[in-house]
Amino acid sequence: MRVQNYFKIPNISYRVWKVWLRNMEVFMKTIKVNFIPPFFEPILYLLGIGFGLGLFVREMEGVPYPVFIAPALISISMMNSAFFECTFASFVRMYYQKTFDAIISTPLNMDEVIFGEILWGSTKSIINASIILLVVSIFQLVKFPESLLIIPFSFLVGLTFSAIAMCFTAIVPRIEFFNYPTFLFITPMFLFSGTFFPLHVLPLPIQSISFTLFPLTHAVYITRSLTMGAIESQVILSLIWFICVAVILTILSINLMKRRLIV
Amino acid sequence: MMPVISAKGLTKKFDDFLAVDNIDFNIRKKECFGFLGPNGAGKTTTMRIIQCVSPKTSGSLKVNGIDAEEQPREVKELLGVVPQENNLDPDFTVFKNLMTYARYYGIPKREGKSRAQELLKFVQLEDKKNVIIEKLSSGMKRRLILARALINEPEILILDEPTTGLDPQARHLIWEKIMSLKREGVTVVLTTHYMEEASQLCDRLVIMDLGKIIVKGDPQGLVQKYIGSEIIEVDNKPETLTCILENKMSYEEFGDRVHIFTKEPKKFASKLMQRCKLDKVIIRQASLEDVFLTLTGKILRD
Ligand SMILES: Nc1ncnc2c1ncn2[C@@H]1O[C@H](COP(=O)(O)OP(=O)(O)O)[C@@H](O)[C@H]1O
Ligand SMILES: [Mg+2]
């Protein structure tokens, strides 16, 4: 297949929300259970790393350590919720449950199914980021009203990670293969995106890799600007970076999925 | 009358493998049209092209005069589909499965509810309304998929092996539903490898093998044309074959039995018994199965 075939503009109508709604309804069935992990996980991190390690670290970049990692915890949850939704969960729906097959027999098409999944992954990002924002504001680690912008921003981060995840879903032969992107992509980002220590302590080449290739780096940067209420003009560059990557990868992932599923 | 589905030179290749090889067919309004053939014949591939979920390689396919490739949404609105593989939504109950499907078709909620209720009654699953899918038997799942296929009140119903793997009771229940839909004027397109199913339900059918249509016609007509009304079956022994050849009869060997095709079965059966001293001579009604075995058997030998 030629390169331009991977970037064909998808054919998407309003029907895409029906795919989103299907997933939302499944989520709502177990809503109470769904809120427990995103609520308690950041508390564990804050207690263990923020306050535990914080006893020794005390300050990072001139702020108390829990204040430094609070935006990282929010960003990591945006990443994880979208990435795992559009890898493991989407793969189960596609491969084991044949949900996509059932939907494309109706007036919906594959473009809408895949984009609906991506929108749903982004929604999970918004939901989880909002819960964690609530938790860290209980601990008074973030500034308002600036931090409220994290909620719409988490959609963009979610969209990017959902699209990345969907690209992997389109090419893995079996579900176990998701261990590779998780280990080679998610774990390095978790550690080297300015999450638990600032980026500038890393060797320069790693800094530039982190800045060009890791969406989490940009997510942490923007989120941290918001939680600390210190918004620099470079935030615009990171936002543009996100929008470009999100659009390109969303289109790519839809085309890759169609190559896999429409035979 | 314009055919509701018409295919010309329809071809589907998977890489270099020809799964559907230049087939033509015309399906008329309100008839039940069958695709009969062994596994791998290309039936499902053909159905998936009609459903607009798999693109054809070449040829043309029109549904109600609409080109399936150019206007897939319009075509899909007209169809109800029972796929070969069950794909009910395991995250939802029986009723919710129908409601979700109704939403995909853009049916308003109230209308969807009343249709779903009615359809559950039609397929006799009213008491399973709030049951989760995995608790259904395979027959019930098939019936629910049939109900789901009817939620958009389709003009054309596509059934890909609707009863494969079901017990006889479950199968007869589905047949009954298909016949009642046909009486209501739904065009039914059916694939099967059960001869009985094809001859009971189909007005006309094609037999497919290795991606090609090898014959087309109505079940009775095909039996008459290729076999005759009755068949003589005898044990496959050297004496049998000698006796048949002496009398210049046409026959087919099927393992340890020989089938003899003749216009005068009674006369020839007594000849076999009396003159050639053969026993276990049976005269029976010829069926579609005989046509199928004769034709596909021959093709495999060529
Ligand atoms: N996605 C596919 N890729 C490659 N070959 C396929 C694919 N789908 C079906 N085939 C092949 O095409 C042939 C026809 O398959 P199918 O239409 O499912 O037959 P039937 O429904 O009559 O049993 C089979 O040999 C099958 O292996
Ligand atoms: Mg099949």
Side-chain angles (χ1 to χ4, degrees):
Chain A
M1 210 153 78
R2 294 220 304 275
V3 177
Q4 58 262 42
N5 289 333
Y6 289 99
F7 293 96
K8 279 195 213 132
I9 302 302
N11 170 7
I12 289 166
S13 74
Y14 69 94
R15 295 175 182 86
V16 67
W17 79 270
K18 298 176 185 186
V19 178
W20 180 90
L21 197 55
R22 182 231 164 254
N23 290 339
M24 186 65 172
E25 284 176 348
V26 176
F27 177 82
M28 294 301 280
K29 276 200 325 182
T30 49
I31 181 109
K32 287 181 197 128
V33 191
N34 292 334
F35 275 108
I36 295 170
F39 193 81
F40 286 104
E41 208 183 44
I43 297 183
L44 290 179
Y45 272 103
L46 277 177
L47 292 178
I49 297 179
F51 299 108
L53 196 60
L55 280 180
F56 300 91
V57 182
R58 291 194 184 277
E59 283 198 349
M60 181 85 61
E61 302 281 280
V63 294
Y65 196 51
V67 172
F68 184 79
I69 66 163
L73 296 181
I74 300 172
S75 307
I76 289 167
S77 93
M78 295 176 194
M79 167 176 83
N80 283 344
S81 46
F83 188 81
F84 289 100
E85 185 64 35
C86 288
T87 47
F88 292 94
S90 289
F91 193 87
V92 167
R93 287 190 282 271
M94 166 184 83
Y95 189 85
Y96 297 102
Q97 300 188 175
K98 312 273 175 217
T99 311
F100 298 1
D101 288 345
I103 299 177
I104 60 162
S105 294
T106 72
L108 281 85
N109 63 24
M110 191 60 87
D111 306 50
E112 288 153 354
V113 172
I114 304 306
F115 192 51
E117 289 279 313
I118 289 176
L119 286 180
W120 171 242
S122 319
T123 308
K124 287 281 292 265
S125 223
I126 302 179
I127 295 171
N128 287 9
S130 307
I131 297 169
I132 298 182
L133 183 61
L134 178 72
V135 174
V136 295
S137 44
I138 293 172
F139 286 93
Q140 300 195 321
L141 301 174
V142 297
K143 282 222 171 84
F144 282 101
E146 292 91 331
S147 292
L148 283 177
L149 286 173
I150 290 172
I151 296 170
F153 176 58
S154 59
F155 174 78
L156 188 57
V157 179
L159 191 67
T160 308
F161 280 105
S162 298
I164 293 171
M166 203 50 94
C167 290
F168 287 118
T169 304
I171 57 177
V172 291
R174 288 194 310 276
I175 198 163
E176 298 84 31
F177 279 70
F178 285 132
N179 291 333
Y180 290 106
T182 308
F183 175 68
L184 296 172
F185 184 61
I186 298 296
T187 310
M189 264 195 292
F190 176 80
L191 293 170
F192 303 111
S193 295
T195 40
F196 300 105
F197 53 86
L199 213 54
H200 62 74
V201 305
L202 292 167
L204 257 173
I206 298 188
Q207 276 188 48
S208 39
I209 290 178
S210 175
F211 216 79
T212 41
L213 294 182
F214 288 178
L216 189 61
T217 304
H218 295 272
V220 170
Y221 172 64
I222 295 178
T223 310
R224 190 168 282 144
S225 305
L226 295 171
T227 57
M228 296 195 181
I231 301 161
E232 303 162 346
S233 57
Q234 277 119 301
V235 165
I236 295 292
L237 290 182
S238 281
L239 263 182
I240 293 172
W241 185 94
F242 257 118
I243 292 168
C244 295
V245 172
V247 170
I248 292 171
L249 291 184
T250 299
I251 293 174
L252 175 67
S253 70
I254 292 171
N255 284 291
L256 283 174
M257 273 303 232
K258 281 164 74 176
R259 194 190 60 167
R260 174 181 191 137
L261 295 174
I262 299 186
V263 286
Chain B
M1 197 165 64
M2 187 180 75
V4 270
I5 303 181
S6 91
K8 274 202 192 71
L10 194 64
T11 299
K12 175 75 186 182
K13 273 188 185 171
F14 294 109
D15 297 319
D16 283 335
F17 177 76
L18 255 179
V20 175
D21 186 0
N22 192 17
I23 63 173
D24 299 319
F25 56 86
N26 285 306
I27 299 174
R28 296 174 194 148
K29 209 171 173 66
K30 299 187 183 184
E31 76 174 335
C32 176
F33 191 93
F35 288 81
L36 187 58
N39 284 328
K43 305 182 297 293
T44 297
T45 307
T46 308
M47 294 308 112
R48 287 172 54 83
I49 299 172
I50 300 176
Q51 286 158 240
C52 309
V53 297
S54 174
K56 62 184 191 257
T57 307
S58 60
S60 86
L61 180 79
K62 295 228 161 103
V63 179
N64 262 4
I66 309 172
D67 189 302
E69 202 152 86
E70 280 165 22
Q71 290 168 279
R73 290 200 216 268
E74 284 76 0
V75 169
K76 290 197 278 187
E77 301 264 8
L78 299 171
L79 304 179
V81 176
V82 172
Q84 182 174 337
E85 258 188 275
N86 284 350
N87 57 13
L88 290 162
D89 202 324
D91 289 322
F92 291 133
T93 61
V94 165
F95 191 69
K96 186 70 192 161
N97 257 276
L98 297 181
M99 289 303 290
T100 314
Y101 232 61
R103 189 166 62 211
Y104 295 145
Y105 281 101
I107 299 162
K109 203 164 181 176
R110 280 186 58 193
E111 172 70 18
K113 255 188 190 152
S114 78
R115 284 192 201 177
Q117 290 284 13
E118 237 165 75
L119 285 169
L120 284 184
K121 198 191 284 176
F122 176 69
V123 297
Q124 301 170 23
L125 285 175
E126 286 161 296
D127 52 336
K128 300 285 173 194
K129 190 176 163 188
N130 296 315
V131 167
I132 204 89
I133 299 305
E134 66 181 66
K135 298 268 189 283
L136 299 180
S137 71
S138 45
M140 290 174 187
K141 282 186 190 150
R142 255 0 223 165
R143 265 143 60 202
L144 180 58
I145 292 197
L146 178 62
R148 192 186 67 177
L150 296 169
I151 197 86
N152 60 324
E153 299 182 334
E155 280 176 39
I156 305 161
L157 190 59
I158 295 185
L159 308 163
D160 195 355
E161 301 197 10
T163 66
T164 298
L166 300 187
D167 61 40
Q169 281 89 344
R171 172 171 306 155
H172 278 276
L173 188 50
I174 293 206
W175 286 356
E176 199 184 290
K177 300 300 160 199
I178 297 172
M179 285 190 270
S180 99
L181 287 164
K182 215 194 113 203
R183 278 194 299 274
E184 286 170 30
V186 178
T187 308
V188 178
V189 183
L190 174 103
T191 85
T192 182
H193 52 239
Y194 295 123
M195 309 304 144
E196 201 195 341
E197 185 160 287
S199 45
Q200 290 242 343
L201 298 175
C202 298
D203 302 309
R204 294 190 309 141
L205 55 89
V206 295
I207 297 182
M208 277 185 89
D209 195 22
L210 304 172
K212 291 195 176 69
I213 290 179
I214 46 183
V215 277
K216 39 179 93 178
D218 63 294
Q220 244 83 69
L222 286 175
V223 175
Q224 277 299 334
K225 178 168 170 201
Y226 288 93
I227 309 289
S229 54
E230 283 162 317
I231 269 190
I232 307 175
E233 272 193 35
V234 218
D235 277 344
N236 192 353
K237 287 189 283 198
E239 309 93 271
T240 317
L241 297 185
T242 330
C243 188
I244 292 169
L245 290 174
E246 272 170 15
N247 290 283
K248 298 196 177 62
M249 308 300 299
S250 67
Y251 70 101
E252 284 280 338
E253 290 174 69
F254 292 105
D256 54 0
R257 300 288 280 172
V258 181
H259 295 179
I260 303 163
F261 312 120
T262 167
K263 292 264 160 359
E264 297 160 306
K266 292 217 175 63
K267 191 172 134 201
F268 193 66
S270 59
K271 214 182 241 178
L272 280 171
M273 286 191 285
Q274 282 155 16
R275 205 166 318 149
C276 308
K277 306 262 178 285
L278 296 173
D279 50 0
K280 293 193 201 151
V281 178
I282 296 169
I283 304 180
R284 62 167 175 81
Q285 200 89 58
S287 72
L288 205 51
E289 186 147 1
D290 300 310
V291 179
F292 185 78
L293 287 176
T294 308
L295 292 174
T296 57
K298 254 181 202 140
I299 277 184
L300 288 177
R301 244 172 284 148
D302 281 345

